[in-house]
Amino acid sequence: MKKHYKGILMALSFVTLSVILYFLHFLIFNDPHHIFIYLLGDIAFLPVDVLLVSIIFHKIIHDKDKDERLKKVNMVVSVFFSEIGVELMGFFRKEDTHLKDLQAVLLIKPQWDTRDYKNAIKQIKKMDAPLNFQGPCLSNLSRFLTSKRKLLLTLLENPILIEHETFSDLIMSLTHAEQELANRNDLNQLKEKDHAHLMTDIERVQKLLLLEWLIYMNHLRKSYPFLYSFSLRTNPFDPDAEVEIK
């Protein structure tokens, strides 16, 4: 009750003020007929007023706030790919030979539109190529992820990521994979079931990483052409990519 006390008190105050004003109107003009006409008119307009304020205006404000939050989320995503994502994709391109079969959807062309990105995302979701990284490769991946642990934890603590479920899943999966790898005594001497478990964790990271990258690239295409141009010229899956413009 205490929680809603101020709201109830404010509502009663406004109702009381309205009654006082109507009473003053009656004392001054002595015209109850006129008062009831306007009172009924005001009540009749109330549903329209609620519609305008509670639904239409609220939606406009909500959509504007959502756009602002998404801009902030994409700034965080941009930092992730600059510091971790692009290098990690380069690692997967080098170590996972199956990605050659997906060259058509990872080698992004400048003329791609939303339809092309949707098709690429659909292909990545269907990706089902088991990884088989061995000791030295796993050690390199473990060292890289451990070196980025602080950034991963910082990203994970960012409350704004609630607005971006797929990216949150990616950071959670990366953090989990880093913990799994870092807590093995010897990545060169893994039992078969343990190795299979690690591969499942890394496969999850790879798929989520590629999906998020395609979503992010499509966002850059529509919102930041200058960043999109740079990202195309540094595509880790393009063997002919050159950052310098010729």
Side-chain angles (χ1 to χ4, degrees):
M1 186 66 179
K2 291 182 179 180
K3 183 179 179 181
H4 304 287
Y5 177 75
K6 289 185 177 179
I8 295 172
L9 183 62
M10 184 177 294
L12 290 174
S13 299
F14 280 119
V15 171
T16 303
L17 179 61
S18 181
V19 171
I20 292 172
L21 291 174
Y22 274 117
F23 183 68
L24 287 174
H25 187 283
F26 174 74
L27 291 178
I28 296 171
F29 299 103
N30 193 24
D31 187 2
H33 178 73
H34 184 269
I35 291 174
F36 282 112
I37 288 176
Y38 276 93
L39 178 61
L40 183 60
D42 290 340
I43 294 175
F45 183 73
L46 188 59
V48 178
D49 189 36
V50 172
L51 173 67
L52 291 173
V53 176
S54 300
I55 299 178
I56 298 176
F57 292 159
H58 176 74
K59 187 178 186 307
I60 293 172
I61 295 172
H62 175 74
D63 289 346
K64 185 176 180 181
D65 289 343
K66 185 177 179 180
D67 289 341
E68 291 298 322
R69 291 196 301 271
L70 285 176
K71 284 183 181 179
K72 293 179 181 179
V73 168
N74 282 306
M75 288 174 63
V76 176
V77 175
S78 179
V79 171
F80 167 78
F81 278 104
S82 297
E83 298 296 325
I84 301 176
V86 172
E87 189 172 351
L88 186 56
M89 287 189 294
F91 169 84
F92 283 122
R93 178 188 61 80
K94 179 181 176 182
E95 300 294 342
D96 183 11
T97 56
H98 295 100
L99 287 181
K100 293 180 181 178
D101 299 332
L102 294 169
Q103 186 77 354
V105 298
L106 296 175
L107 191 58
I108 299 173
K109 302 295 183 183
Q111 64 270 23
W112 273 25
D113 56 18
T114 299
R115 184 182 302 175
D116 295 305
Y117 276 100
K118 286 183 177 179
N119 178 63
I121 290 171
K122 188 182 298 183
Q123 294 300 316
I124 295 298
K125 286 181 177 179
K126 293 179 181 178
M127 183 176 68
D128 187 24
L131 297 175
N132 190 28
F133 294 166
Q134 297 304 316
C137 177
L138 291 175
S139 296
N140 291 336
L141 179 59
S142 179
R143 281 193 293 271
F144 173 74
L145 293 180
T146 299
S147 70
K148 304 296 183 180
R149 178 184 294 171
K150 185 176 181 180
L151 178 57
L152 287 173
L153 292 176
T154 301
L155 292 173
L156 199 59
E157 292 170 355
N158 194 327
I160 202 169
L161 293 189
I162 297 174
E163 303 289 334
H164 202 320
E165 185 177 349
T166 57
F167 186 62
S168 299
D169 291 342
L170 170 59
I171 301 301
M172 286 288 292
S173 299
L174 272 169
T175 303
H176 175 70
E178 189 276 327
Q179 291 174 336
E180 290 276 10
L181 290 167
N183 283 279
R184 294 302 189 279
N185 292 325
D186 188 353
L187 291 170
N188 293 294
Q189 300 292 330
L190 294 173
K191 295 180 180 180
E192 185 176 347
K193 287 185 177 180
D194 196 33
H195 180 267
H197 176 78
L198 286 175
M199 290 304 100
T200 299
D201 290 334
I202 298 171
E203 287 165 14
R204 184 188 305 111
V205 166
Q206 184 188 51
K207 179 175 286 189
L208 289 172
L209 177 66
L210 296 179
L211 287 173
E212 191 59 41
W213 179 61
L214 290 170
I215 294 171
Y216 173 65
M217 289 293 286
N218 193 30
H219 164 73
L220 291 184
R221 178 186 67 84
K222 293 184 287 186
S223 302
Y224 300 99
F226 58 97
L227 293 177
Y228 186 60
S229 173
F230 177 79
S231 297
L232 288 177
R233 287 180 279 117
T234 54
N235 184 343
F237 300 105
D238 186 356
D240 300 321
E242 292 185 8
V243 69
E244 296 182 358
I245 299 176
K246 296 182 180 179

